[in-house]
Every structure is written in C-alpha cells, then in structure tokens.
Amino acid sequence: MGWSETILQTLKNNDVRFITYVPDNVLTPLIKGVTSDNYFMSVNATREDEAIGMVAGAWMGGMKGVVMMQTSGFALAPNALASLIVPFQIPAILIVSERGTLGEFNIGQTMVARVMRPTLDAIGITHHTLTDKATMPFIVDSSIKQAVTTQAPVAFILSPLLTGGNPAAH
C-alpha cells in the first residue's frame, strides 16, 4: 500500500468517517480516496477554519473527523484551533501536506512552513511529521487513539520525504 492508502485504512480502523478538506495537489490521493469510498462522509470546504468548524460539529454529533489542508492554509487555522478545538477538547485530526520546504517554489508556502510547528506548540497541539511509510502506520494509529482518549487534537504533517512533494513542482 502507498502512503495515502495506509492513512485511509488507518482512519477506517479507528472509525474516523467525517473528512473535510481544502483541495491541494499533494493531498489529491487522499481526497480521491475519501470521495470515492462510501465509508467516508467527505465535504469540500472553502476555508480551513470552516473545515475545522465542521469537524467540531461532527464530533458533537458523535463522529470523529479529519481536516485536510496544505501548509499555507494552516495560516487560517490557529484562531479556530485555539478558541474552539483546544478549549472544548475536540479530538480533531489535522492532516497537513507540508509545503514550503525541500524545493518549494511558492514563497507563500515557505513563510507559513516556518511558523506552523511553533504555532502548534504554542496552542498545545501534538504534532508528528510523517517522513516514511515504515513508521507512519504506528504513529497515525496510536496518535488517533490517544487523541480520542484524551480528547485532544493531533496534527499529522505529511513531509515531502513521504509524499514526494508537490507534483506541480516537478
């Protein structure tokens, strides 16, 4: 299985059904996977903070949820995370395609890439950078279980070392 199939199967294994996303080239395999599988309820959001709000509502309605976004879109997320997700103990799962590193051509991506991890640390959100398929299943599975058990969000940053980066840059 490729990295995206492994993530999708891990979401299924943990009964994570609600997926909201803002489109991104790197996330295309995940987006195609969730939109073509009736197991998932997927919603295309217009903004990342909107997607976070939808996942909060899904949790309150009894569903585990994921927000998928790219690095630059993360810039819209801190307020929703710090004022809704963290204080109300919603185990939102964030999947962020890491842009702005390793040959990135878009300066907007590079600027947000510099502040994403420090921002996650500042608001107390555990995050893991996924770099290889060997360790990824354990990290994703155990972190989702911990997020739900402790009612705390978790972020998975998909490194270009795992995904191959932005196909538009090649």
Side-chain angles (χ1 to χ4, degrees), residues 75-159:
L76 290 170
N79 182 53
L81 293 169
S83 65
L84 175 64
I85 298 299
V86 173
F88 290 95
Q89 298 178 285
I90 298 168
I93 301 161
L94 309 176
I95 297 177
V96 184
S97 64
E98 184 176 37
R99 303 273 307 272
T101 63
L102 301 174
E104 177 64 54
F105 62 91
N106 182 332
I107 193 166
Q109 297 284 2
T110 60
M111 299 306 289
V112 179
R114 292 179 193 159
V115 300
M116 180 173 54
R117 287 174 183 84
T119 301
L120 288 166
D121 288 336
I123 58 179
I125 295 180
T126 299
H127 55 91
H128 304 282
T129 301
L130 305 176
T131 58
D132 65 87
K133 290 192 318 186
T135 59
M136 184 187 64
F138 173 78
I139 293 169
V140 174
D141 181 64
S142 58
S143 297
I144 290 172
K145 286 174 173 44
Q146 181 176 359
V148 171
T149 302
T150 63
Q151 292 188 275
V154 64
F156 301 115
I157 301 166
L158 306 179
S159 168

Side-chain angles (χ1 to χ4, degrees), residues 19 26 69 103 124 135 160:
I19 314 293
V26 176
M69 68 183 83
T135 59

Side-chain angles (χ1 to χ4, degrees), residues 39-105:
Y39 176 83
F40 297 108
M41 179 187 301
S42 61
V43 180
N44 183 351
T46 57
R47 291 172 45 114
E48 290 74 9
D49 51 355
E50 173 190 41
I52 290 167
M54 286 190 271
V55 165
W59 175 253
M60 292 174 198
M63 295 182 79
K64 299 173 197 161
V66 172
V67 176
M68 295 192 296
M69 68 183 83
Q70 64 179 274
T71 301
S72 66
F74 178 81
L76 290 170
N79 182 53
L81 293 169
S83 65
L84 175 64
I85 298 299
V86 173
F88 290 95
Q89 298 178 285
I90 298 168
I93 301 161
L94 309 176
I95 297 177
V96 184
S97 64
E98 184 176 37
R99 303 273 307 272
T101 63
L102 301 174
E104 177 64 54
F105 62 91

